[in-house]
Amino acid sequence: MNAIASTHITRPVTLVEAINLALAHEMQADETVVVLGEDVALNGGVFRATVDLRKQFGLKRVMDTPLAETLIAGMAVGMSVQGLKPVAEIQFMGFIYATMEQVISHAARMRNRTRGRLHCPLVLRAPFGGGIHAPEHHSESTEALFAHIPGIRVVIPSSPARAYGLLLASIRNPDPVIFLEPKRIYRAANQTVENAGQALPLDTCFTLQEGQHITLVSWGAMIQETLEAAQQLAEEGIECEVIDVATISPLDRETIICSVAKTGHCVIVHEAARECGVGAEIAATLAEHALTDLRAPVKRVTGYDTIMPYFKQESLYLPTTEKIIKAVKETLDYD
């Protein structure tokens, strides 16, 4: 895989290649953008998301760090308030918890703390989610932890094009962004991406498919199973509206509420544990603002409230297309 820094090149790429394209494009366009993290320079990152960036932009802008996540986040905060736009990589979400002191106590508060005199334009990237037979601490889906923190955005792409456009928008955003990359679909499919520097909007859901019978809400890798379920249900005459949340926080409530006002039914799909997950926030939002439109209780298809199991059992933990179809039929049968 070679990074493409030239503009207006269109070709099929995987999600991880799209990440690399976005980084290369923005580093070429903006000399204040820097990349840091463990193995991101000489080795090009554990998943090769930063491959060749060091060759193009040099060690002053693509920096290897020690295996010290607190240091990586702290450096990113310091760089950002001094005029740089750091994009820091945490190798797996299971190691991101050491950064939370820097993220919660400093990055998220910088604008408020300084009454707008300083802001904190940093991006903290991390692969997340299960499905690749990884060991402990490599398969977490704890996006709800960060979604609960005011002052930061949590962005999750679901396709190569979405990854390219949302990462550009995240780097250009003046405030901190947690950018979580669903590694299960890093190389699952190719999609044509125009490397022209076009960002996608943050804080907006994307309606991937329109339908009239039920709204399916999901994000990240689970979009694949959700779309597959919608396709199989369509063969039975059930039209699903599929919404990709994309920005977990702040949540685009209006798009979800408007969809449910049309369909009257909703199933939320995520692989994170159920209790206090983002799905619970969406369900509460619908209870507050769309109760009279609902014709059945909101149903969730989620992971379990337990530690993500080792690879031999992770398929039992992750939501499946069959579970989504079952939830849809139970919801529609409630009428």
Side-chain angles (χ1 to χ4, degrees), residues 100-113 120 143-154 173 175-178 203 248-251 253 281:
M100 295 186 79
E101 157 67 13
Q102 298 293 340
V103 171
I104 296 173
S105 298
H106 302 292
R109 294 170 176 264
M110 193 63 67
R111 182 182 289 276
N112 183 273
R113 175 180 292 158
C120 197
E143 62 269 29
L145 292 176
F146 291 99
H148 190 67
I149 307 303
I152 58 174
R153 281 177 169 77
V154 183
N173 189 65
D175 295 304
V177 175
I178 306 297
D203 311 343
I248 298 300
S249 178
L251 183 65
R253 292 175 168 80
E281 175 62 26

Side-chain angles (χ1 to χ4, degrees), residues 40-71:
V40 299
L42 292 175
N43 290 334
V46 64
F47 288 101
R48 317 302 287 162
T50 56
V51 69
D52 285 346
L53 295 182
R54 172 181 170 263
K55 292 179 183 176
Q56 294 183 57
F57 303 103
L59 282 173
K60 287 187 177 180
R61 296 184 64 192
V62 185
M63 291 162 274
D64 278 326
T65 67
L67 177 55
E69 286 78 12
T70 300
L71 174 145

Side-chain angles (χ1 to χ4, degrees), residues 1-333:
M1 180 174 65
N2 294 316
I4 298 177
S6 303
T7 58
H8 299 286
I9 293 177
T10 303
R11 69 178 177 92
V13 296
T14 62
L15 195 151
V16 72
E17 288 175 313
I19 297 291
N20 184 266
L21 283 180
L23 289 169
H25 184 283
E26 206 59 9
M27 294 186 76
Q28 188 176 60
D30 184 349
E31 64 180 13
T32 67
V33 178
V34 297
V35 170
L36 67 152
E38 184 192 2
D39 293 334
V40 299
L42 292 175
N43 290 334
V46 64
F47 288 101
R48 317 302 287 162
T50 56
V51 69
D52 285 346
L53 295 182
R54 172 181 170 263
K55 292 179 183 176
Q56 294 183 57
F57 303 103
L59 282 173
K60 287 187 177 180
R61 296 184 64 192
V62 185
M63 291 162 274
D64 278 326
T65 67
L67 177 55
E69 286 78 12
T70 300
L71 174 145
I72 294 170
M75 286 178 63
V77 172
M79 289 174 169
S80 69
V81 299
Q82 293 299 317
L84 297 175
K85 295 179 181 176
V87 183
E89 177 179 299
I90 303 299
Q91 283 198 341
F92 292 89
M93 194 177 190
F95 305 130
I96 205 169
Y97 311 118
T99 73
M100 295 186 79
E101 157 67 13
Q102 298 293 340
V103 171
I104 296 173
S105 298
H106 302 292
R109 294 170 176 264
M110 193 63 67
R111 182 182 289 276
N112 183 273
R113 175 180 292 158
T114 63
R115 301 296 184 262
R117 288 185 296 107
L118 296 176
H119 53 104
C120 197
L122 69 82
V123 177
L124 201 61
R125 296 180 39 246
F128 89 116
I132 67 164
H133 297 178
E136 189 181 14
H137 293 304
H138 291 67
S139 300
E140 273 79 355
S141 298
T142 47
E143 62 269 29
L145 292 176
F146 291 99
H148 190 67
I149 307 303
I152 58 174
R153 281 177 169 77
V154 183
V155 178
I156 301 177
S158 63
S159 68
R162 206 80 70 209
Y164 179 83
L166 291 175
L167 182 55
L168 287 178
S170 298
I171 296 172
R172 296 169 187 171
N173 189 65
D175 295 304
V177 175
I178 306 297
F179 194 86
L180 301 177
E181 300 163 7
K183 61 181 180 293
R184 178 160 62 93
I185 58 171
Y186 258 155
R187 294 179 173 83
N190 290 305
Q191 185 179 29
T192 299
V193 172
E194 184 180 7
N195 186 21
Q198 184 66 45
L200 289 172
L202 301 176
D203 311 343
T204 300
C205 293
F206 296 90
T207 301
L208 304 183
Q209 175 179 311
E210 296 201 356
Q212 61 175 330
H213 296 132
I214 192 165
T215 300
L216 306 183
V217 180
S218 190
W219 54 89
M222 290 312 304
I223 287 292
Q224 308 302 311
E225 283 78 6
T226 303
L227 287 171
E228 174 62 28
Q231 183 178 3
Q232 292 187 30
L233 288 164
E235 295 172 358
E236 301 179 34
I238 299 172
E239 298 179 10
C240 301
E241 187 144 299
V242 179
I243 293 177
D244 177 3
V245 178
T247 301
I248 298 300
S249 178
L251 183 65
D252 172 14
R253 292 175 168 80
E254 183 176 358
T255 296
I256 299 171
I257 291 170
C258 288
S259 176
V260 170
K262 178 173 68 174
T263 66
H265 305 87
C266 183
V267 170
I268 303 162
V269 183
H270 63 67
E271 71 175 78
R274 170 175 300 228
E275 189 165 314
C276 298
V278 176
E281 175 62 26
I282 295 172
T285 295
L286 293 173
E288 286 181 318
H289 301 288
L291 185 60
T292 56
D293 294 316
L294 285 168
R295 295 164 58 187
V298 175
K299 191 175 283 289
R300 288 175 286 163
V301 181
T302 70
Y304 296 93
D305 295 325
T306 184
I307 303 298
M308 180 72 177
Y310 289 118
F311 68 91
K312 286 186 177 180
Q313 293 183 313
E314 67 178 355
S315 63
L316 301 175
Y317 177 94
L318 294 170
T320 62
T321 299
E322 291 71 25
K323 290 179 181 177
I324 299 169
I325 291 174
K326 180 174 182 287
V328 167
K329 291 183 176 179
E330 288 175 351
T331 302
L332 294 176
D333 287 344

